[in-house]
Amino acid sequence: IAHTIFRHTQMGENDVGHITLHTARNGTIAAQILLRDVGQAFTVDGWRVIDVPAGVHVDACAQGYEIYNDGLPYPDKLTDSVQVSVLPNATQGFVVTFRTDADAPIGVYNMYVFLQLTQASGKKAEMSAMVTLHIHNAVLPDPCDSAFGHEYFFDIEADEAKLISYAKAMKALRVNTLYVNSIPLLCRGGSKRISKTEWFFDYSALDAFIKLFLEHGSFKHLTLTNIIVPVSGEWMTYIDENGHPAGLELFGDDQETADAFLRAVYGGIAAHFEEMRWRDMLRIHLEDEPHVSKAWLWGRAICHEVAPGVPCTEPLDTKGMGRTLGDECDIPVPRLEVFDYDAEYYANRIAAGDGVW
């Protein structure tokens, strides 16, 4: 079975029309079904599945493709349905997802997935694949109760229906850390600068965003995304007097504003999250992969002043910053080669009970 499905992917000698999957209860597992019609275009109009046991939920969607600057279609994000048109001599992938309830009965189950087609000639057809699902006698914890932390970036500008679909997909994929892009959400609520060193913050849009994801997902951490620009740390984003995000140079002529804004925004969010009973979930990404330590250390000092006890966690992608900032990060997130370079150091931190992601 091929894993990355291009338009030119063809069936191999070991590829079969029968899929066998293994999962625990309260788990999610997916498989790909590939369609290819030699010499004729077709459309996929719908799908159905039969013989689904109690406690199992099935969904399906088509693989999306993007054409990049070399003119070739590459598999990219999944679509919202199975409906798709396929050119002659092209392969189309479909992802079928199986989610089991925590009390799903253990056992071995055979299901059949049908894709409903219309060929270029107008002829209707159905293509089927048999899926054997083994549900084992183990129950996975909900993502919010997992010992592991799993993060993923996504677009917060989507509409509510799309955000709900993100939350459900993140739960299925066991993503249990919600990235909160605080500045645009605060601006959306009507926050603005009211003097050189003061801001009015409206948390309504921020709250609505978090509540939606907590309702439809399963999260243990709320992580504020970085305000300091990644890598260089030369400037930061703040909120101007018109209530818009704006850039501000760090360690320049207006450092007073930078100091005041960081204190106001992090101190304000920490206090507000205390009121919302979210503070124990709060984490802060200050910069994202800093290559120079000055701005990150400046931001960390302010966070520990105005939001004591809230961990600062940072992706570290260079060996130098892994050593320079390692002891300063409450939760370092070293890239694999950075971890390997100082494996003993990180092993000691883990043994001491520190978080290392």
Side-chain angles (χ1 to χ4, degrees), residues 18-21 49-53 56 58 98 107-114 129-135:
H18 175 209
I19 302 168
T20 300
L21 301 173
V49 58
I50 63 173
D51 299 336
V52 179
V56 175
V58 188
F98 301 85
V108 181
Y109 304 95
N110 293 322
M111 293 169 274
Y112 296 86
V113 179
F114 296 86
M130 178 180 173
V131 179
T132 298
L133 181 65
H134 295 248
I135 302 177

Side-chain angles (χ1 to χ4, degrees), residues 181-183 186 224-230 235-238 246 248 250 261-262 265-266 269 284-288 298:
N181 198 348
S182 57
I183 300 301
L186 289 172
L224 303 184
T225 57
N226 57 293
I227 290 177
I228 303 172
V229 65
W235 56 275
M236 60 175 278
T237 302
Y238 81 118
L248 180 65
L250 291 179
F261 180 74
L262 216 63
V265 71
Y266 285 142
I269 288 176
I284 297 175
H285 275 333
L286 289 169
E287 183 175 344
D288 190 23
W298 162 77

Side-chain angles (χ1 to χ4, degrees), residues 149 151 153 177-179 221-227 266 281-290 296 299-300 303-304 309-316 325-326 328-334 349 355-357:
E151 302 182 340
F153 292 95
T177 295
L178 176 62
Y179 271 14
H221 298 133
L222 304 173
T223 298
L224 303 184
T225 57
N226 57 293
I227 290 177
Y266 285 142
M281 303 173 70
L282 181 58
R283 305 287 185 271
I284 297 175
H285 275 333
L286 289 169
E287 183 175 344
D288 190 23
E289 299 182 348
W296 191 91
R300 179 190 183 278
C303 282
H304 281 239
V310 175
C312 288
T313 175
E314 200 64 47
L316 303 173
L325 299 184
E328 304 299 330
C329 281
D330 299 300
I331 306 174
V333 189
R349 288 202 61 170
V356 176
W357 293 4

Side-chain angles (χ1 to χ4, degrees), residues 27 66 90 145 163 182 249 251 318 325:
E66 293 288 340
D145 298 322
L163 293 177
S182 57
E249 181 185 3
F251 314 116
T318 68
L325 299 184

Side-chain angles (χ1 to χ4, degrees), residues 154-166 188 209:
F154 62 95
D155 176 20
I156 71 165
E157 298 302 326
D159 60 30
E160 181 175 316
K162 179 65 73 174
L163 293 177
I164 291 173
S165 73
Y166 287 167
R188 190 181 299 173
F209 176 84

Side-chain angles (χ1 to χ4, degrees), residues 2 4-12 34-36 65 70 72-75 86-93:
T4 302
I5 306 306
F6 295 93
R7 290 297 195 191
H8 61 268
T9 300
Q10 298 189 42
M11 187 172 181
L34 310 182
L35 292 183
R36 182 181 179 90
Y65 294 84
D70 60 1
L72 298 176
Y74 287 86
V86 186
L87 295 173
N89 303 309
T91 298
Q92 174 65 50

Side-chain angles (χ1 to χ4, degrees), residues 134-152:
H134 295 248
I135 302 177
H136 293 272
N137 188 20
V139 181
L140 294 175
D142 288 334
C144 62
D145 298 322
S146 173
F148 294 93
H150 187 188
E151 302 182 340
Y152 190 75

